[in-house]
Structures are given as C-alpha cells and as structure tokens.
Amino acid sequence: MLKDLLSDIIKIDDILIIVRTQGAIIEMKSNSINIRQKDNWITLGGNDDPCHMHIDSSTISEARFIEEQKTDRMSYSIRFFDKNGEKQFSTVFAKMYDKEMNPITTRKKIFDDLFQKYGSQQTIKFVNELSN
C-alpha cells in the first residue's frame, strides 16, 4: 500500500517531498516523477534525473495525514515514519493559498480526496508484504 499511496501523491502537482537530517534538507517536486519498485526499494524519479529518491519500504511503518495550524495559514502534509516513530520523509502540499492568502478550495479538495481514498484515517499502518 505504501507504493500505491506514493504513486497517488506524485501524480499531484506542487507537492514537495522533503527529507530532513541534522545537517541537510532535500526538497524534490513531485511534478513528472516516475515510480518503480524492486524488492523492498521504491524509487521516485530516475537514476539519471537531477534528483531521485530511494525508499526502503521495509523501514516505513506508517503514514500520517497532517493538518497543522501555522501562524497565518493551515499546512497540509503526509508524513512517513519508521517503526520507532521517527519521521523519515514528508510530502507537503504546496500552493494551497492564492496571493491574498485565501485558501484554494480545489487544492484542499485534493488533500481531502486522498485522505478519503485511504480510509479517512489520520494514521495508515503499513505491513511489509515482502517479508511475509
């Protein structure tokens, strides 16, 4: 199910895929990324692209749909965690507001539709199907 969720996310324009460590932050736009899986490894983007990402699906245990109040706006993301509850990466819905900071309802609907498609649960648990 992890690959299915990621496949749906990368089809959406203006999603930032973010990996943050203590010393670096990587941001990759979802637009026109392809996805493939070999064994446990899911690859977003192509090996010859300027940026691509390899995800060990056996280490990702859950995804959380997050609606977070910021100072002047709501933020929408899906965050991916390992079995220890450590965030591994996030997918952030960008361009949710117009120039006057009014919410763009069509963008919010995309987030809501994805939430509904995956069971309207804030947390989705993944089972490593390859280890069964």
Side-chain angles (χ1 to χ4, degrees):
M1 183 178 352
L2 173 59
K3 184 182 177 205
D4 295 333
L5 177 56
L6 289 171
S7 293
D8 286 340
I9 291 169
I10 64 172
K11 291 176 189 169
I12 302 168
D13 287 339
D14 298 314
I15 298 288
L16 285 178
I17 303 163
I18 301 172
V19 180
R20 181 185 305 255
T21 67
Q22 283 187 320
I25 299 172
I26 300 166
E27 294 181 349
M28 184 169 80
K29 286 189 176 187
S30 63
N31 308 28
S32 304
I33 293 178
N34 59 3
I35 186 170
R36 66 188 179 288
Q37 182 167 4
K38 182 177 181 185
D39 300 321
N40 283 341
W41 290 94
I42 298 171
T43 300
L44 302 179
N47 286 334
D48 294 329
D49 292 347
C51 183
H52 63 278
M53 179 177 176
H54 302 288
I55 302 164
D56 183 351
S57 64
S58 70
T59 66
I60 306 298
S61 64
E62 67 182 51
R64 298 179 195 160
F65 284 80
I66 306 293
E67 296 183 50
E68 185 176 28
Q69 180 66 53
K70 301 288 186 173
T71 304
D72 60 346
R73 61 183 167 79
M74 288 292 291
S75 173
Y76 301 89
S77 64
I78 303 171
R79 300 176 188 168
F80 296 83
F81 296 85
D82 66 15
K83 66 181 178 180
N84 298 319
E86 297 290 325
K87 182 172 62 173
Q88 298 302 301
F89 66 98
S90 301
T91 56
V92 177
F93 285 67
K95 299 187 180 179
M96 297 294 286
Y97 293 87
D98 65 17
K99 291 177 184 175
E100 288 78 36
M101 290 303 293
N102 298 310
I104 300 173
T105 55
T106 54
R107 293 287 296 161
K108 175 66 165 77
K109 183 175 181 343
I110 292 169
F111 179 85
D112 291 341
D113 289 349
L114 197 59
F115 179 72
Q116 186 175 42
K117 178 177 182 177
Y118 286 91
S120 298
Q121 300 175 42
Q122 184 182 11
T123 301
I124 301 169
K125 300 281 186 183
F126 300 116
V127 177
N128 184 2
E129 297 170 5
L130 294 175
S131 64
N132 293 337

